[in-house]
Amino acid sequence: MAVSEPQRQARDDQLKDWMVRGLDGDATAQNRLLSALAPLLRSFFARRLAGAGDDVEDLVQETLIAIHTRRATYDRTRPFAPWAYAVARYKLIDHFRRRRQTVPFDELEAVLIAEDGHEAASARLDLEALLGGLSAKQADAIRHTRIEGLSVAEAASAQGIGESDVKISVHRGLKALAARLKGK
């Protein structure tokens, strides 16, 4: 049964609330969080490890322990679900390494993609963090032309600046991002 976007958002908000309350010392909220995560993680691992029921349960337990022991690393300002599924993905990768299992390259994406679109949410957050280091004009120009697919004329109109200003902003913004990613 598919979960609608409003239902998913409500679930994610509830998980985050329990996580934050758990970080503040509410043991009941922490227990509710871990209890609610168990079936989600079971589903996550079961889809990636067909026919490996014992491994699924082991991975669920390992992930719950990791989430509990590493909860202090969670950033309260960010969504909780992408963080939790990242922990699960790392546990899955560790599992494959322990077993020395290989996954055919064409199936790799299906194995590592996070559940319910959280990977996309995480990527959006990473993108926004990268663009946050640029000037507003450069970030908007890149967002409009490279992400939203607007033409330079449409982006100029949306920003209220000239077309050449959009082109320069995109060029300088991408150059700054490349330098930052290279560590310069």
Side-chain angles (χ1 to χ4, degrees):
M1 179 170 97
V3 177
S4 71
E5 188 58 34
Q7 290 171 322
R8 181 179 305 122
Q9 187 60 49
R11 180 191 68 199
D12 293 352
D13 291 345
Q14 180 63 69
L15 292 173
K16 180 177 180 174
D17 179 60
W18 284 331
M19 179 64 165
V20 169
R21 288 179 25 215
L23 289 171
D24 291 338
D26 184 340
T28 302
Q30 184 67 21
N31 288 335
R32 285 182 180 160
L33 171 69
L34 296 175
S35 295
L37 283 173
L40 299 174
L41 292 170
R42 197 168 288 115
S43 173
F44 175 84
F45 291 124
R47 280 197 300 277
R48 288 153 180 82
L49 297 171
D54 291 341
D55 290 340
V56 168
E57 286 306 313
D58 289 346
L59 283 167
V60 168
Q61 293 306 312
E62 286 178 34
T63 304
L64 291 174
I65 290 168
I67 286 171
H68 179 71
T69 59
R70 292 178 182 87
R71 67 185 182 272
T73 65
Y74 171 66
D75 179 354
R76 297 168 184 244
T77 64
R78 301 193 66 175
F80 172 73
W83 181 83
Y85 282 111
V87 173
R89 279 192 312 277
Y90 287 121
K91 289 297 172 187
L92 183 62
I93 292 167
D94 290 345
H95 169 78
F96 287 143
R97 284 183 184 143
R98 279 192 308 269
R99 305 273 179 173
R100 302 250 189 260
Q101 275 181 283
T102 58
V103 177
F105 188 74
D106 14 339
E107 295 176 25
L108 186 62
E109 183 178 358
V111 169
L112 297 179
I113 297 279
E115 176 171 295
D116 294 333
H118 292 298
E119 184 73 16
S122 182
R124 279 192 301 276
L125 290 172
D126 292 343
L127 179 63
E128 288 306 315
L130 279 172
L131 293 177
L134 300 176
S135 72
K137 186 165 77 170
Q138 289 173 344
D140 286 343
I142 291 171
R143 210 176 274 112
H144 289 315
T145 59
R146 301 301 169 116
I147 299 167
E148 296 170 9
L150 297 179
S151 69
V152 171
E154 292 167 327
S157 175
Q159 288 183 258
I161 58 177
E163 290 181 32
S164 61
D165 207 0
V166 170
K167 290 177 186 177
I168 292 169
S169 295
V170 168
H171 174 75
R172 290 181 180 165
L174 291 175
K175 187 175 177 181
L177 287 175
R180 189 175 333 136
L181 291 173
K182 289 179 183 175
K184 293 181 180 178

